[in-house]
Amino acid sequence: MGVRVALHLKGVVDYDFLQERLGEKSQLLLESNPVYKKIPVLIHNHNPVCESMIIVEYADEAWAASGRAIRTADPYDRALHRFWAACIDDEVRVAPRRPTFFCLVKAETQEARAEAMEQSLAGLELLEESLAKLSKGRGFVGGDAMAYLDIALGCYLGWMKACETVIGHRFLDEEKTPLLVGWAERFCSHEAVKDWMPETDELLELAKVLQPKRKVSTAN
């Protein structure tokens, strides 16, 4: 999703989108990413570029003359945004590279779920504080327009909503995380995002496949 958002921001709309079947790896994928054998992969001028945020950076440079800049020109702010993007990836995902929100779905006991929820909420409160500093009072983390760090964080919102449906609890709260609530609404309604944001029902079906031994159901 992050790659498609970045391409849209750069004005790149004419491309082939090849979707892999879950549990299968095409020969093209294996040849394009022989190290991790994972999606996404961008193939540009016959050259493969792997890993979502690396592709976002590549797109910003490869199509520098079109669209708007995704990364800030300030070297310190750029380094800061890359640091936080790496932190988000480390904190939100767990081995084998699945969203941490699955920890809540997989929890076998109320104690385990409570612990996972506490960790998730603590991380979101830290993000709330960081958003206030990074956005400097503007609409997006990158400033007045969507940028690199917005993409890094925003691509997890779909899974967050799916997990909220399963456990019956909201992660983003207008009282505790008002900045994140407003930012999430702006991100999801952005023209570069709304066509690519997966529906909650689609993600719930995917969760059933990823977690075949545990029933995924909507909380009452």
Side-chain angles (χ1 to χ4, degrees):
M1 174 185 165
V3 174
R4 304 191 81 177
V5 171
L7 292 175
H8 187 104
L9 291 175
K10 300 306 294 184
V12 181
V13 295
D14 186 15
Y15 58 86
D16 294 324
F17 177 63
L18 307 179
Q19 190 161 354
E20 295 282 313
R21 292 179 61 86
L22 189 65
E24 301 178 10
K25 298 181 186 294
S26 67
Q27 188 61 33
L28 179 60
L29 173 60
L30 296 176
E31 292 173 354
S32 302
N33 189 357
V35 177
Y36 294 117
K37 303 177 179 62
K38 294 180 180 295
I39 55 173
V41 178
L42 174 72
I43 302 176
H44 182 226
N45 292 333
H46 306 290
N47 297 315
V49 184
C50 307
E51 291 291 313
S52 182
M53 295 312 295
I54 293 177
I55 298 174
V56 170
E57 292 184 38
Y58 175 85
D60 197 31
E61 294 182 3
W63 289 279
S66 62
R68 63 173 304 277
I70 295 176
R71 296 174 301 163
T72 177
D74 183 271
Y76 176 73
D77 285 344
R78 181 177 293 191
L80 196 59
H81 290 179
R82 291 187 69 182
F83 168 81
W84 275 106
C87 285
I88 290 168
D89 196 57
D90 289 341
E91 291 298 322
V92 176
R93 297 207 227 185
V94 293
R97 297 179 69 79
R98 294 178 185 171
T100 298
F101 309 125
F102 272 120
C103 292
L104 288 161
V105 178
K106 293 190 299 179
E108 298 288 348
T109 65
Q110 289 295 333
E111 291 77 12
R113 176 169 288 187
E115 182 179 356
M117 175 63 74
E118 183 179 354
Q119 293 175 354
S120 298
L121 294 179
L124 289 171
E125 289 178 8
L126 177 59
L127 276 176
E128 174 80 3
E129 296 175 6
S130 302
L131 179 61
K133 298 176 182 178
L134 293 168
S135 66
K136 301 174 183 178
R138 292 175 289 184
F140 291 93
V141 184
D144 295 319
M146 186 184 300
Y148 179 82
L149 195 49
D150 296 287
I151 296 174
L153 177 58
C155 290
Y156 288 110
L157 288 174
W159 281 114
M160 186 181 295
K161 291 180 180 179
C163 188
E164 288 178 340
T165 302
V166 173
I167 67 174
H169 184 90
R170 291 183 61 84
F171 289 102
L172 301 184
D173 181 88
E174 292 186 358
E175 181 177 341
K176 295 181 179 179
T177 56
L179 295 180
L180 279 172
V181 169
W183 167 82
E185 292 176 352
R186 287 187 291 274
F187 181 88
C188 292
S189 62
H190 194 283
E191 61 176 8
V193 174
K194 57 186 180 182
D195 289 339
W196 315 131
M197 179 65 74
E199 296 291 336
T200 299
D201 289 343
E202 294 180 80
L203 293 177
L204 289 175
E205 288 301 314
L206 178 58
K208 293 177 183 178
V209 177
L210 293 174
Q211 304 294 332
K213 296 182 179 181
R214 182 170 179 82
K215 183 178 179 182
V216 178
S217 59
T218 303
N220 294 323

